[in-house]
Amino acid sequence: MSRNSIKILPGALVCEESKLRGDITIGAGTIIHPSATILAEAGPIIIGDCCLIEEQAKIIHRLPFDEQDTEKTPVLIIGAHNVFEVDCHVESPKIGNCNVFESKCFVGNKVTVTNGCTVGAGCKVTEEQILKENVIIFGEKCQMREGLDRPGLQTLQMETLSKVLPNYHHIRKPNKKN
Amino acid sequence: MSYIVSPDVVKYACTCGLLKPISCLYFCRYCCELRCGFCVCHEVDSHFCGKCCENLPSSEARLKKNRCGNCYICPCCQQELSTRIGSKGPSNPEDPKSTPKKMYYLSCLYCRWSSRDVGIPDQGAATGGWPERENVHANRLQEVIEGYKAFITAQRQQKEREKKKQRGKFISYTDRTGVTAAALRKRIGLPAEVPNTYYRNRPKPPEVAIAREEVEDFPEDLLTKALNLMEITTIDQRLLQPDLQPTTVDKLFPIHKQLSIKRSLRCRSCEHNVSKPEYNPNSVKFKIQLFAYYHIPEVRIVTVEPLRAGKTAELILKFTNPTQHQTVITFLPLDLTDKGGDGDREVVGETQSLNLPEKQPPSLGGQPSSLLSLSSRQPSITIKPRPIRQATNCSIAIPGSKVILPPRDDAAEYDDSGETHNIQDDTKLVVWRKSNKAFVKLAVTPDDGLELNTEIVAGFTMQHIYTNTIATTVENKEPDRHDHNVRVFLSLGNLVGSE
Ligand SMILES: [Zn+2]
Ligand SMILES: [Zn+2]
Ligand SMILES: [Zn+2]
Ligand SMILES: [Zn+2]
């Protein structure tokens, strides 16, 4: 894989133990926990502002098998205020704003996520599709329903984390000016 | 109970003939018999709500249709709903500095459904006050229920009158005291003769429902409009509200949580409890827990050599003594026709329970029927053991020697001194032992001519000495020790081919 090029904007909190590979840009206010994994295999990943990427979460930018031979290097853009909960696995080619990927969910690389979506704990979404705004996927059978509005922001949790995490972990220094 | 040896490879034959793993069995200490969930009486002890842990008397539970008045479940995913606070503007609109008014709504943390989704207004109080929806058929249902109730009462009255007429030939309790029903009626100023109330108060039958002939038109847009599955409820969601059966998600409303019960289990032949939970819903403990796991030696399969038709393989079983008393295990061939350890029941169970009514002097025969029915509540039932339907296709060489299992000693777990109880073991049979456990080596031979991949089931009768501490009487201070037979079935895996 190509060399690592990690750009961290000021205000982002990226723990040193997190596994970041490839060309990754991390927006202001984003928190990345120690053992989160972000792999930019197929092309660069740009993570927006105020995302929360928890322990064991995996964000992998990988092309589907049938597109792997093409020359293009697509960019994975992840919007703002997304929450990647513990041990989720997201390979989506495009992610909007304010989405929640709950614990141990799996989102395949043919699923485009728009805004305000919730993928419930343990749900697996692999079929090629575009998740409409405010869609909630939940339960054993991955039932889908449309929410009234976006899931609430994790502001309080992120405030606490930005105070606590630097006390116990080495933090990567921001290396990019706004 | 999820048990550590989860695949049920070792099963015990219950007295009723069913095969169950030891974790699903009870042991009645009074009959000295195994009992399973199918051969005990289940009784409801108490009703409680699993969310707020409120205990409800059964009459109140019935009145509330077995649902909790305060707790709701999600109509979308059936998880419990939680009350959440959502502030909504200042409490005093003129003064913008006044504290924001707290409003409460119900929300599901699982599927993120909320009472706001279907337009239920937020409530000012955290506890309830949620609008109850009227069933459109409530009146009709009430009418039918009342009609049938009246019918039942009338029928019962008539039956009682007929019984009274028959009983009139004998001396009744009231006659002895000199207070007859007729005299009583006269004293309080009623006509002496009871009129035939059944015909007088014959209940009015509920109005007959008439089927309608005209049907609603077929909605054309079903064929023309694209279906949005997210707006349509699932079968589960519809059946959760049988009175409404909503077809679209905007008609899903919070549902009162169904109550749970605590139940006690009673041995059918001696009427003693084999399991009785503590009354408090917060407690998961038992007052009585006669689980077989605490009384019957536990058998586990340790290893078994590959099984080949007609070839002898080595099987190592682990025996554990769960009791506080030493026991001796004897291996006996499996006898499917025999009733197993039923010999004791005739002595202990039957006589004890049958003695009760006999002890009463016969002169009390004229006592009021209510008292009589109290003493002979639930007469003892002789449970006929059913034949065991499990066939075995593997023989076990029954060893002649016995295995002694010392009592269970919780402290022994931490004792590394390797103390052996100085038990002279048959080294061919016992390959290893520690505190109350022993590994026993047996030789098994699958039947000849079996097809490959056939599941091999072997069985034997385990006779162990059971020490009954309950039967100790005043004159007999020694604990009662007797043999108890349990038939054990082992699923040893599938038959493999020759090397
Ligand atoms: Zn049974
Ligand atoms: Zn409740
Ligand atoms: Zn729900
Ligand atoms: Zn019993």
Side-chain angles (χ1 to χ4, degrees), chain B residues 98-314:
Chain B
S98 65
T99 49
K101 200 175 164 195
K102 272 186 186 160
M103 294 303 271
Y104 298 89
Y105 64 99
L106 294 171
S107 158
C108 172
L109 299 176
Y110 191 56
C111 72
R112 298 183 191 240
W113 183 91
S114 87
S115 56
R116 290 170 169 179
D117 279 23
V118 289
I120 297 174
D122 289 3
Q123 297 293 313
T127 49
W130 298 101
E132 300 288 332
R133 275 154 328 102
E134 277 284 308
N135 182 356
V136 278
H137 303 296
N139 285 339
R140 169 72 184 163
L141 277 171
Q142 199 55 40
E143 190 189 332
V144 175
I145 288 171
E146 257 155 35
Y148 277 107
K149 260 187 195 160
F151 186 70
I152 289 167
T153 342
Q155 222 170 20
R156 197 182 292 147
Q157 277 170 355
Q158 195 192 11
K159 223 176 239 171
E160 247 160 54
R161 248 191 324 279
E162 268 159 26
K163 219 187 261 170
K164 230 180 251 165
K165 267 182 211 156
Q166 279 181 356
R167 221 192 287 154
K169 292 170 199 158
F170 310 103
I171 315 149
S172 84
Y173 186 66
T174 47
D175 285 346
R176 279 199 189 176
T177 53
V179 189
T180 58
L184 261 174
R185 293 186 70 84
K186 212 177 264 173
R187 198 178 288 176
I188 54 174
L190 284 172
E193 263 308 300
V194 191
N196 200 335
T197 42
Y198 179 71
Y199 292 103
R200 206 188 53 185
N201 303 342
R202 199 213 297 254
K204 198 174 84 208
E207 238 172 79
V208 183
I210 299 155
R212 243 189 317 173
E213 211 168 285
E214 65 269 23
V215 224
E216 280 169 44
D217 283 335
F218 178 73
E220 286 286 326
D221 56 341
L222 256 187
L223 300 172
T224 52
K225 260 210 250 162
L227 204 63
N228 185 359
L229 280 177
M230 279 194 269
E231 280 173 10
I232 290 170
T233 53
T234 63
I235 295 281
D236 289 339
Q237 289 166 351
R238 283 178 210 190
L239 296 181
L240 206 58
Q241 306 186 58
D243 48 344
L244 295 155
Q245 302 182 25
T247 46
T248 48
V249 288
D250 57 321
K251 290 195 191 80
L252 291 174
F253 289 96
I255 300 153
H256 283 284
K257 187 177 166 62
Q258 207 141 29
L259 296 175
S260 309
I261 56 155
K262 286 213 170 199
R263 65 177 181 172
S264 58
L265 306 174
R266 202 180 277 282
C267 172
R268 267 202 232 179
S269 56
C270 71
E271 291 176 30
H272 282 99
N273 275 116
V274 291
S275 166
K276 193 172 180 63
E278 280 186 4
Y279 186 68
N280 187 355
N282 287 314
S283 171
V284 292
K285 291 181 182 162
F286 291 88
K287 279 191 220 154
I288 299 167
Q289 45 175 355
L290 297 177
F291 302 150
Y293 186 69
Y294 296 133
H295 297 277
I296 306 291
E298 190 200 350
V299 181
R300 287 201 202 182
I301 298 173
V302 182
T303 53
V304 60
E305 283 182 341
L307 299 159
R308 295 185 175 87
K311 298 262 170 62
T312 304
E314 186 186 280

Side-chain angles (χ1 to χ4, degrees), chain B residues 14 16 36 39:
Chain B
C14 176
C16 69
C36 69
C39 55

Side-chain angles (χ1 to χ4, degrees), chain B residues 27-33 35 266-272 274 345 349:
Chain B
F27 183 75
C28 178
R29 286 202 283 182
Y30 303 88
C31 316
C32 277
E33 282 302 339
R35 303 274 180 234
R266 202 180 277 282
C267 172
R268 267 202 232 179
S269 56
C270 71
E271 291 176 30
H272 282 99
V274 291
R345 197 178 61 169

Side-chain angles (χ1 to χ4, degrees), chain A residues 102 118 136 138 143 145 148 151, chain B residues 76-77 111-113 117 234:
Chain A
E102 288 187 4
T118 305
I136 297 158
F138 67 96
Q143 278 186 71
R145 58 176 223 96
L148 203 61
Chain B
C76 186
C77 69
C111 72
R112 298 183 191 240
W113 183 91
D117 279 23
T234 63

